[in-house]
Amino acid sequence: MSEIIKTDSMQQTSENLSEELFVKLSRLVWQYRKAFNDSNDGFDLSPNELGLMMIMYQDPTINTANQIVKELGTTKGLASRNVDSLVKKGLIKTEQDEKDRRVVRLTLCTRAKELCEEARVRQQEFYHKAMKGICEREARQALDVVEKMVSNIL
């Protein structure tokens, strides 16, 4: 039997509350993706290409296609196509690893870093807007809840 949860505006079952939470989270993710894609305007990059560059920009230790695949949760084929496209656009360079010639290291070029910085500023504006009126305690509680949800499904 569903537990009844009392809220300020109405009574909800825990099932309904769970569904509403996921709907709101989905809406937030959709708005984030839209803002992220909008931040790509003028860059002539696919969302996947920009995402790949942002991963490398935010953590320079991620510098191989395999690491990018793990970080983005994408396929090797898609990562390879994105890397090839970014190389052709002059945004990343590839270089064989000196110790293991099977490994290809990826490096962001100067223009890619500039584009990532512009995208990062736009992301920060989105985060600031989304977090308006939310105190640090509330943000930490929300983060704890989402982390528990992720660990429950992994």
Side-chain angles (χ1 to χ4, degrees), residues 5-122:
I5 298 174
K6 294 182 179 181
T7 64
D8 293 340
S9 60
M10 63 181 174
Q11 290 187 348
Q12 294 182 313
T13 64
S14 59
E15 221 170 74
N16 291 343
L17 184 61
S18 297
E19 184 177 348
E20 185 176 350
L21 177 60
F22 274 91
V23 167
K24 299 289 185 190
L25 287 171
S26 295
R27 187 177 297 161
L28 180 62
V29 168
W30 186 85
Q31 289 293 331
Y32 173 76
R33 285 187 178 160
K34 182 180 181 311
F36 189 74
N37 290 342
D38 289 349
S39 73
N40 189 11
D41 288 347
F43 294 166
D44 189 31
L45 299 169
S46 74
N48 289 331
E49 290 171 338
L50 182 57
L52 185 151
M53 288 187 349
M54 291 299 291
I55 292 293
M56 293 176 60
Y57 177 74
Q58 292 169 344
D59 184 353
T61 64
I62 297 174
N63 62 8
T64 68
N66 283 338
Q67 290 172 313
I68 289 167
V69 165
K70 287 179 186 173
E71 194 68 26
L72 290 177
T74 187
T75 65
K76 290 180 182 181
L78 181 58
S80 179
R81 285 190 301 276
N82 289 325
V83 167
D84 290 345
S85 176
L86 291 168
V87 168
K88 288 177 186 172
K89 292 177 182 181
L91 294 170
I92 63 173
K93 294 184 291 189
T94 61
E95 186 177 318
Q96 282 188 326
D97 186 274
E98 294 175 7
K99 296 177 184 173
D100 185 348
R101 298 194 52 82
R102 296 171 296 173
V103 176
V104 176
R105 300 281 171 201
L106 309 173
T107 308
L108 291 175
C109 296
T110 302
R111 180 66 184 140
K113 291 176 185 176
E114 292 168 354
L115 293 174
C116 288
E117 185 56 37
E118 288 179 45
R120 185 82 175 129
V121 167
R122 293 177 188 177

